[in-house]
Amino acid sequence: MADAKVIPFDDDRSRARRRPARTDDAASVRALPAQAQAPAQLSGDDPATGTEPGANPGADPGERGGWERKLASGLAFLRRRVTGDYEVDEFGYDEDLTDQVLMSLLRPVYEKYFRVEVKGVENIPAKGGALVVANHSGTLPLDGLMMQVAVHDHHPADRHLRLLAADLVFMMPVVNELARKAGHTLACGEDAERLLRAGEIVGVMPEGFKGIGKPFAERYKLQRFGRGGFVSTALRAGVPIVPCSVVGAEEIYPMLGNARTLARLLGLPYFPLTPTFPWLGPMGALPLPTKWTIEFGEPIHTDGYPLEAAEDPMLMFNLTDQVREQIQHTLYKLLVQRRSVFF
């Protein structure tokens, strides 16, 4: 079996999107005049129903066409995997696997379970690099995955979000491989800058473990944004910073306590105690079905600053504070607007 092709990240060949084009089957169906329908009966159609013999007259043509497209797409995907006709970049990102499998697995959680509402996705540029900076919460980092689906499915230019992840993600078996395949990479300035200069959309949560591991009583209160390293990276790459606010993730695992001794034994940053976990065992790990809203704010442009601006600590502090305040203000606005946690 042939090996997958590995392409340099700065290869300027455009990557073809492998997802089939979305069509409207209902719009393509046109009613025929009565005179035009008669000859169709001569071709073997049932004159009583106007359908082919053996066909289900009650089946929706659009539904049949949808399943046929999905089947054809699935078979084409399997052929590419068997023949090695797919590309993996130097970071391990497998766009074909992400589009066809990983997004398909996450999409029901996104659409049916959390019922995510997306706002302002058009603020992410249609081309070129951009750094999406978001709040982090939820005990488990599901917010990053839902952001990835939001950009993947809703951006008009069909962009992909490449997330920067903590070291712990790449130390876990299976999770490590899946994260690489989905386009995640280590949260370091060098990798982030290379991605941005290559024209990718990069996502970062500066709160880190302080955000997802904070007590439920401190929900929607942003933690410290580190030393502003993400601002320095954006300045060096000359890309805009897009603030992103996520509401709904805080309540999926209400963290009432932290078993620090157990966390140290397991090598974890924290061990959450929630109303259901660990008391209900594996069932307690099921997140609550909260209603989510993800809003991408107005971009903060950095291309007007000189190259040496990335070394100016005061400028980095000011820009970091500006991004943090914009995210916090949007969180409060969304909280006031939402009707309830679950609806």
Side-chain angles (χ1 to χ4, degrees):
M1 183 176 65
D3 294 332
K5 295 177 287 184
V6 179
I7 60 173
F9 198 82
D10 56 356
D11 194 334
D12 55 6
R13 292 175 298 173
S14 61
R15 293 174 293 174
R17 303 297 184 194
R18 303 189 185 276
R19 286 181 291 172
R22 299 174 182 172
T23 59
D24 189 348
D25 294 309
S28 64
V29 177
R30 296 290 182 269
L32 296 176
Q35 294 85 350
Q37 292 177 2
Q41 297 178 5
L42 301 177
S43 64
D45 291 354
D46 188 341
T49 62
T51 60
E52 296 181 1
N56 180 7
D60 182 3
E63 183 179 351
R64 290 200 305 269
W67 279 108
E68 289 171 357
R69 285 195 302 273
K70 290 179 181 179
L71 179 60
S73 177
L75 292 175
F77 170 74
L78 291 176
R79 180 191 60 78
R80 292 193 298 272
R81 305 314 289 187
V82 171
T83 60
D85 185 21
Y86 60 94
E87 296 175 345
V88 179
D89 73 15
E90 60 181 302
F91 292 92
Y93 176 43
D94 189 334
E95 183 177 344
D96 190 34
L97 182 70
T98 299
D99 287 346
Q100 297 294 330
V101 179
L102 300 182
M103 289 294 112
S104 297
L105 294 175
L106 291 172
R107 194 168 290 117
V109 179
Y110 174 94
E111 294 179 348
K112 305 299 183 183
Y113 198 79
F114 293 134
R115 295 146 293 144
V116 181
E117 179 184 359
V118 181
K119 299 180 179 181
V121 71
E122 66 278 0
N123 287 322
I124 297 176
K127 59 181 180 179
L131 184 65
V132 176
V133 182
N135 59 304
H136 208 15
S137 62
T139 304
L140 291 181
L142 298 181
D143 49 0
L145 299 177
M146 295 301 102
M147 286 170 53
Q148 205 170 0
V149 179
V151 175
H152 184 277
D153 286 4
H154 295 282
H155 196 279
D158 195 25
R159 309 261 356 224
H160 288 206
L161 180 66
R162 307 288 296 270
L163 292 172
L164 302 180
D167 301 11
L168 181 61
V169 171
F170 301 104
M171 295 169 58
M172 302 171 65
V174 181
V175 174
N176 170 29
E177 291 298 323
L178 290 176
R180 290 287 186 188
K181 296 289 186 183
H184 306 177
T185 191
L186 191 63
C188 68
E190 291 78 8
D191 284 357
E193 187 174 347
R194 289 171 64 195
L195 286 167
L196 291 170
R197 289 187 182 278
E200 295 288 337
I201 304 297
V202 178
V204 62
M205 288 87 163
E207 292 177 283
F209 290 123
K210 299 189 300 294
I212 57 174
K214 63 177 176 289
F216 186 65
E218 298 180 14
R219 60 192 179 279
Y220 299 115
K221 296 178 182 178
L222 293 182
Q223 305 298 300
R224 185 172 174 269
F225 267 25
R227 301 177 182 177
F230 68 91
V231 171
S232 177
T233 300
L235 286 169
R236 283 195 295 268
V239 300
I241 300 172
V242 181
C244 177
S245 303
V246 182
V247 165
E250 292 276 17
E251 295 89 359
I252 61 173
Y253 296 110
M255 186 167 164
L256 304 180
N258 178 14
R260 291 183 174 83
T261 301
L262 188 57
R264 284 195 295 269
L265 291 174
L266 297 175
L268 300 174
Y270 55 86
F271 189 90
L273 302 176
T274 76
T276 58
F277 183 82
W279 329 114
L280 299 183
M283 287 296 296
L286 187 68
L288 297 178
T290 58
K291 174 72 170 65
W292 287 34
T293 302
I294 299 177
E295 180 167 338
F296 298 93
E298 292 285 340
I300 299 171
H301 296 280
T302 65
D303 52 357
Y305 294 97
L307 293 177
E308 59 271 16
E311 308 301 327
D312 185 347
M314 186 56 67
L315 176 62
M316 284 195 294
F317 175 81
N318 290 335
L319 287 176
T320 300
D321 192 56
Q322 181 182 351
V323 174
R324 188 179 183 278
E325 287 301 316
Q326 188 168 335
I327 295 173
Q328 184 71 80
H329 175 76
T330 305
L331 286 175
Y332 288 149
K333 181 194 71 175
L334 295 175
L335 288 171
V336 170
Q337 292 175 351
R338 78 171 176 177
R339 294 178 299 171
S340 74
V341 173
F342 299 101
F343 304 102

